[in-house]
Amino acid sequence: MGIIKLKNIRTFSFHGCLVEESKIGSDYSVNLEIKTDLTTSCLSDELKDTVDYVLLNRIVVEEMAIRSQLLEHVAQRIIFRTFNELPEITKVIVEVSKLNPPIGGDVESVTIKLKEYRK
């Protein structure tokens, strides 16, 4: 087994419960970690034998472009889509961070983290 991580995927998205957030938008950072069998690709050196991290990045960017009120909702969509499109993945961990959230304090970010195993 092996792990592939995409760290700090940056997007500008429109998530949040406040009406202003749907109009103004905000900066986000996403970390995605997947578990899969990398045995074949370690030996073959062929892209077809591994999970293409370009596709993983595309899934994150496309799901972040769809507005959600809650960060956990968009994170769950990323997990569902990752499992649906890549059957060789056995575990997904996703962290979605809203940078400089409008919560009335000096807070760098708010992050939710979800972990799910293929059923």
Side-chain angles (χ1 to χ4, degrees):
M1 284 308 215
I3 293 172
I4 297 174
K5 295 181 183 180
L6 281 74
K7 294 183 180 181
N8 198 22
I9 302 167
R10 292 174 297 280
T11 69
F12 188 83
S13 303
F14 296 87
H15 307 300
C17 295
L18 302 175
V19 174
E20 295 82 19
E21 292 174 299
S22 69
K23 296 176 182 176
I24 298 169
S26 190
D27 290 309
Y28 291 82
S29 174
V30 178
N31 294 320
L32 181 67
E33 178 178 315
I34 62 101
K35 185 174 182 183
T36 190
D37 186 351
L38 298 175
T39 306
T40 302
S41 62
C42 286
L43 299 172
S44 74
D45 195 28
E46 296 289 335
L47 181 60
K48 67 178 179 56
D49 294 328
T50 192
V51 173
D52 186 352
Y53 51 78
V54 172
L55 175 57
L56 292 172
N57 184 68
R58 184 178 322 128
I59 289 170
V60 169
V61 169
E62 289 175 358
E63 291 303 320
M64 288 297 291
I66 302 168
R67 178 170 157 65
S68 289
Q69 290 188 72
L70 302 177
L71 298 181
E72 45 267 59
H73 185 259
V74 70
Q76 187 65 61
R77 286 199 328 264
I78 291 168
I79 290 173
F80 285 157
R81 187 159 166 209
T82 302
F83 279 139
N84 285 339
E85 294 190 23
L86 298 157
E88 61 271 30
I89 292 176
T90 58
K91 179 174 95 172
V92 177
I93 300 173
V94 63
E95 294 177 90
V96 178
S97 299
K98 180 182 281 193
L99 308 179
N100 302 310
I103 61 174
D106 186 12
V107 178
E108 180 180 318
S109 66
V110 173
T111 302
I112 63 95
K113 180 176 181 177
L114 297 178
K115 174 171 54 174
E116 201 163 310
Y117 296 87
R118 184 176 295 282
K119 294 175 175 69

